[in-house]
Amino acid sequence: MTCLTPDRLYRYLDGDLRPEEAADVEAHRTACVRCRERIEESRALAQAASSLPDLELPAGFAESVMNRIVRAEAPHRSWLAILGIGLGALGVSLGTLILASGQSAAGLLLGFGRGSLHTLQGLVVLFLKFFKVLLLAVKILPELAGTGLRGLSRVSGSFPVEILAGTVLVTIALASGLLFAFRRSLFVQDDIGEDP
Amino acid sequence: MHDDQELVAATLKGNRTAFEMIIRKYQQPLFNYIGRMVGERELALDFTQDVFLRAYACLPSYRPQFKLSTWLFKIASNLVIDFWRKKKIPTMSLDQPFEEDGDSYCLQVPDHAPSVGRSYELTELRRKVDRALARLPAALRELFVWRHINGLSYEEMAEIKGLPVGTVKNKVFQAKELIRSRLEDEI
């Protein structure tokens, strides 16, 4: 048998040769000093590589990864909380508005609808005029929405949920106040209309 | 020790402790691999973190018929390859014959050089292997590290790289021969 090729040598060391091939290598190894040395050398190299010390990880590595995961999820969760608080506050505001007006909810909505009709017509015309612009905007909308959401996430991630929720509550209170004022002007118009 | 599939299932149900156990199990093997691939400690730490962040985000798409370790090493390998591309480090295809100094490299019949194994003690040999490893072409280094440092099987490596097992074996043999020849040069 001729001396071992590297391919045959490594396959022998991996136990990848057929039994008769392995027996040939064993026989040759006994007879050939050079190949015997090469086998031992390859074993030594593999042993040295597999016993290389671990690279040192800093203590608390797993915790730091988990903290990043928690931080990445936090903005999403805080927005859900804020959305819930906002919807709740809106419901309370509308309830208060109905009670304070002394009218039924249906009457209040009817008055609001009447006053809004002219505004709505104007908005429809405006929307039609800008329809082409909107079509173009649709093409870049996903990117803009992504940027906007990322911005909102950063903002929500930078402030505690309590501050954000407070901001939403104040905004809704202001909006409710404006709505209340709008309702009053509607009722004044209604009063004028009903007077003889 | 919990089974990987159990840990994955628990994580998907919202159990963060289960994912932390996955991190603790695989942080060292992944860091050993990435550290030896990118060569910079801080960068390797960032990449190792990124592997787990990506794994957490993509866990719903993980298919249980694959080993979790194989999946994590595949994510790590993709990160490393992106890094090489950005740094413009040549990333040869493992399907192509490896060339060094312009000549096609093939496995040579052993020569009469002095035995590396006899010339160095184990500690010294480790140091020299580590140094020779750092100078290996990146694609061969990756396979050598997986095989001899991470202890992956040829089948697992073939699955990660999407290559035939025979090709992977051949490349690992080439890596070993290169390391051996470089150590011989030092004697």
Side-chain angles (χ1 to χ4, degrees), chain B residues 13-175:
Chain B
K13 285 178 186 165
N15 182 351
R16 284 200 185 129
T17 310
F19 193 71
E20 191 168 344
M21 290 172 79
I22 291 175
I23 297 174
R24 289 185 190 284
K25 187 172 177 183
Y26 291 108
Q27 59 184 5
Q28 190 64 64
L30 285 167
F31 186 57
N32 283 343
Y33 158 65
I34 294 171
R36 289 195 161 85
M37 296 314 294
V38 301
E40 294 172 41
R41 181 179 162 77
E42 290 307 314
L43 200 57
L45 283 171
D46 284 348
F47 280 2
T48 311
Q49 280 210 353
D50 284 350
V51 171
F52 289 115
L53 293 175
R54 284 191 189 196
Y56 186 80
C58 300
L59 210 56
S61 67
Y62 165 71
R63 284 178 290 170
Q65 63 262 39
F66 296 112
K67 282 178 75 175
L68 182 65
S69 58
T70 310
W71 188 64
L72 291 171
F73 273 108
K74 193 177 179 71
I75 295 174
S77 178
N78 288 339
L79 270 173
V80 167
I81 289 170
D82 283 347
F83 166 73
W84 290 340
R85 286 191 181 133
K86 281 177 191 161
K87 293 268 282 185
K88 296 194 166 51
I89 294 172
T91 54
M92 69 168 195
S93 165
L94 287 170
D95 291 327
Q96 302 302 314
F98 171 64
E99 290 186 2
E100 190 181 51
D101 300 331
D103 296 324
S104 179
Y105 181 90
C106 61
L107 297 176
Q108 302 293 322
V109 173
D111 53 24
H112 294 279
S115 164
V116 171
R118 274 193 316 186
S119 303
Y120 300 118
E121 292 298 320
L122 182 62
T123 313
E124 177 71 356
L125 193 57
R126 276 195 202 117
R127 202 171 57 78
K128 289 188 178 293
V129 166
D130 208 9
R131 218 165 53 196
L133 188 56
R135 289 185 289 127
L136 268 190
L140 293 186
R141 193 182 342 142
E142 179 174 59
L143 296 181
F144 184 89
V145 169
W146 279 344
R147 178 66 185 160
H148 288 287
I149 295 176
N150 294 125
L152 298 188
S153 68
Y154 290 119
E155 287 74 17
E156 286 171 326
M157 292 156 67
E159 189 180 310
I160 295 170
K161 299 305 285 183
L163 291 169
V165 174
T167 305
V168 170
K169 278 185 185 177
N170 192 262
K171 298 298 171 186
V172 173
F173 296 168
Q174 286 183 5

Side-chain angles (χ1 to χ4, degrees), chain A residues 4 6 10 14 16 34 37-38 41 45 48 50-52 54-56 58 61 63-64 68 70 73, chain B residues 16 24 27-28 32 41 49 53 56 108 110 112 115-116 118 126 148 154 169 173 177 180 183:
Chain A
L4 295 175
Y10 292 126
D14 282 340
D16 201 21
R34 187 176 142 202
E37 281 186 354
R38 287 303 295 269
E41 176 185 278
L45 285 177
S50 60
S51 62
L52 281 171
D54 284 336
L55 301 179
E56 197 182 335
F61 177 81
E63 287 86 351
S64 68
R68 279 187 67 180
V70 170
E73 286 188 332
Chain B
R16 284 200 185 129
R24 289 185 190 284
Q27 59 184 5
Q28 190 64 64
N32 283 343
R41 181 179 162 77
Q49 280 210 353
L53 293 175
Y56 186 80
Q108 302 293 322
H112 294 279
S115 164
V116 171
R118 274 193 316 186
R126 276 195 202 117
H148 288 287
Y154 290 119
K169 278 185 185 177
F173 296 168
E177 276 300 285
R180 191 191 61 78
L183 292 190

